[in-house]
Amino acid sequence: MAASPSPSSAATTNIMLAIFEKKTNSVDLYRPLRNYIAFHYSEREAQNLEDDLETLKQFRSDIERHSDPSLPARRDLFQSYYKSLCLVETRFPISSDPSHVNTLTFTWFDAFKLKNKSSQRNIHLEKASVLFNLGAVYSQIGLSYDRNTVDGRRQASHAFIAAAGSFAYLRENASLKASVGGSVTVDLSVECAAMLEKLMLAQAQECVFENSIAKGSTPGVCSKISRQVGLYYEEALAALNVAPLTQHFDKTWLAHVHLKAALFHAEACYRYGLELHEKEEIAEEIARLRIAINVLNEAKKNSRGAPAQILDAISKLEANINRNLERAVKENDRVYLMRIPSLSSLPPLPAFSMVKPMVMNEVLDASKEKMFASLVPDSSTKALSRYTEMVDEVIRTQAEKLQQASELTRVRLKEMGLPDSILALEGNFSLPTNLKEDVEAVQISGGPAGLNAELQQLRDLRRVNQELLVQIEELLQKEAREDSQFRSQFGTRWTRPQSSTLTKTLQDRLNRFAGNLKQAAESDARIERSIREHSALMSILDARPIESALPTLARPIMSFDQNEDAVVGSLKQSLRQLENLGAQRAGLEDMLKEMKRKDDILPKLMTFTGSHEDLFKKEISKYDHICEEIAQNIEAQEQLLLQIQAQNDDFSVIFNLEDYKVSCEKSYKQIESAIAKFQEIKENINEGLKFYVTLQDAITNVKQQSDDFVMTRNIQCREMIDDVQRQVAGLSFQDNKNTGAFNSNYPSVGNQNQRSNAQPTEPRPQTPYYQSAEQPQVPAYVHPPPPYGHAHQPPPPYHVPSTSSAPYPPSQVHQQPPANHDYGQPAYPGWRGPYYNNAQAQQPGSVPRPPYTVSSPYPPPHQSGYYRQQ
């Protein structure tokens, strides 16, 4: 084992594993093979193949001596030698048989326990060992790249993918053959090859995860990739914990793989939690983060001997998870108030594999090699291909029969309503999956009982809006009364415009808001009436569990022959037999595939002197007994289905199954209707909540304008009182021209700051209250600049109908009136159903912007316990 830590842009460490090569003893291939050629063919043929024999000898010598230490050179050497061994296998039978090459013995040592070795007189051990070393070299190449760069991580991932492909090829093509030829070391077993394959895939996927973090992929994507890393490590860990690997590897291997599996599982939960927080799904976020903490705590119990880099990464990740968990819990306790789901009820995290083992068939294909080409005729290769096609045809035909039999069983049982009727009799019946999910969603959102609480929210929000309108109206009326009093007191000297003239626009808007509230109150009443009218229908949704509201399949009240138990018992027994037949079919299909995997007639084909067809007929007969078992299984299933049909007919009559099915369908329709009505009312309430919050924002904006207007008028009032009093007392400090200018150039509300900012020695012209006779008359009151600046003015929550004018008159200052919006549209912008008539749909862009201008004691609807944004 070799490890190389390097910095990582992700929250994990970049330490990974590589495999050392297997060691071997020296073997002389040249002399035994040359003697075999000279003996079975001719001396001249042996002389013609001298170059091939020397090349093969040099390959073996380079493997033994490590003549070129560079990793790419070692990789190419193992690939070339393996293809040469494939050619040797088809031409030189190597065994202890006197007529074969019987003087060659291959010896290889275990890569993980050097004291263990295996020796065989066949080429299968040699081929398996070379494949193992090819995978080991690929793993070392992957570890050699600089994974601090994007290109380095990509190249490392490709190398680990190739290593996984080498070990997969070893598992599928060489491990079993090597074990058949004699005893082999554990590192060449099928189990070890599979474990190393998963380990290499895990490290390849880990490189992809690091690149995803580096390029800023979304938390959801990173979560899926990280979860797949953890799954690959978990599969490798599972193999390490069972025979024959359980006592074969050092404990540091187990600690490394265990911690990596836990680390990436927790990382996936952490990334998934970030995505959930963005969606405001706080309850599931809390549950996922708790799972991550549990996984890390469990893994740290077995961290003895683990690298410090991994432990440090776990500590950092744990700190991040705890921080997010604390934040989510606080937000849920204060705002969302969601019910935290149990950890066992959560579905598995989604995972996405970005890697798979490299297909090594082309890399290791020896069909184009010219070595020893003169020794074997092409007819042998074509004969072997013909036999393979025959085996594939047998397996394909039988697999189709098995699949058809399984599909037939599924359809027939569904037609008979089995095993649902048996489950219903035992009290284990459940709703159809889609309907049950809808009911659970309703109950999680509070159910019909929670609608009254949300309806109270509507009333409270309507009351808040009404109180705001009353405050604005009282404010404007008070200012108008004061203006009227002074006008009566000073007579013609009180020259400023009347309040009613200046507040006409505000009054119009307040009247529209009042109309909106009136219409909204009517809509609320329709919702309340709908809840009352349909409470009986929706009450079924409050049943917990929902199955308690369904009809039950009970035993008959009266029975003449008392054979109900016998009928039910025989039907259950038949269903168990049918299930056993299905399991048997799955086993037969696996047997076919396993037999094909082990079926290698090449040695026989190379030595068989008779007709190839006779050999094929004899070899293909190995599959006859499995085909017979498949036919018997299908026939037994047909008979059993007929028996089940008869038993189910008796069961239906005794338990009045038809009436039960009708009752169930009626209940299903009632539940569907209740869900539809609940969703309709829920959607209408949500639209109402959104409307009131939006309207409150608009009224608050008008209240701010009214406050500014009254403040400006009060300032003007005090200044005019002073001027009028000075005129009456004869204490004027300005000439008649200036006095006239005061009367004709008194500042408007929109320019209220110009007077206070003007210098006494250099008076500036001011916007007059009234236009001269030559100018067209415009409304005297214009909108004052908002105190927070025009650039940040919030958009009004309603649209202006296309046929109406803008809600504000043209302004004399640079402030632009809100475009394409109005506050006079119907009560609920999104009201649908029979409770809202002729409402104009809300246009895109009119969604209220949180947070709202005036704080309210009621949370926004998307943060309540009964409303979630769609």
Side-chain angles (χ1 to χ4, degrees), residues 27 309 438 471 653-654 765 800:
V27 175
Q309 296 91 330
D438 292 341
Q471 293 174 13
V653 173
I654 294 175
V800 175

Side-chain angles (χ1 to χ4, degrees), residues 67-117:
S67 57
D68 189 344
S70 69
L71 293 175
R74 296 290 293 176
R75 175 200 61 199
D76 297 341
L77 173 61
F78 283 119
Q79 290 177 357
S80 299
Y81 184 54
Y82 181 83
K83 289 186 280 189
S84 301
L85 291 177
C86 293
L87 299 175
V88 169
E89 181 182 13
T90 59
R91 292 160 175 82
F92 303 95
I94 302 175
S95 71
S96 57
D97 191 292
S99 62
H100 294 172
V101 180
N102 54 16
T103 59
L104 280 177
T105 300
F106 299 101
T107 301
W108 288 88
F109 295 86
D110 194 300
F112 307 103
K113 289 187 179 294
L114 296 179
K115 63 180 180 179
N116 297 341
K117 67 177 180 178

Side-chain angles (χ1 to χ4, degrees), residues 585-631:
R585 285 196 300 275
L588 291 173
E589 186 172 4
D590 292 339
M591 288 176 60
L592 278 174
K593 295 178 180 178
E594 181 68 13
M595 182 173 287
K596 178 182 181 297
R597 189 176 67 85
K598 295 180 179 180
D599 193 7
D600 182 14
I601 67 165
L602 183 58
K604 296 180 181 179
L605 185 63
M606 298 297 297
T607 58
F608 192 73
T609 58
S611 169
H612 287 163
E613 292 300 324
D614 293 340
L615 176 63
F616 294 162
K617 184 178 180 179
K618 177 182 178 182
E619 293 296 323
I620 206 72
S621 64
K622 298 194 296 281
Y623 298 89
D624 290 346
H625 73 282
I626 298 182
C627 296
E628 292 175 2
E629 291 183 24
I630 291 175

Side-chain angles (χ1 to χ4, degrees), residues 58 69 216 230 267 290 377 392 446 481 546 549 600 626 667 689 724 811 817 840 843 858:
Q58 188 62 45
E267 181 78 22
R290 286 175 177 171
D392 290 342
R481 286 195 303 270
I546 187 63
D600 182 14
I626 298 182
S667 298
L689 293 172
V724 170
S811 176
Q840 179 179 352
Q843 300 297 324
Y858 307 98

Side-chain angles (χ1 to χ4, degrees), residues 24 62 65 141 147 232 259 373 390 467 526 551-552 788 817-818:
T24 183
D62 291 342
R65 296 185 295 103
I141 292 175
R147 291 183 298 279
Y232 281 139
L259 290 182
M390 294 171 62
E467 291 175 354
R526 287 195 294 271
T552 57
Y788 38 78

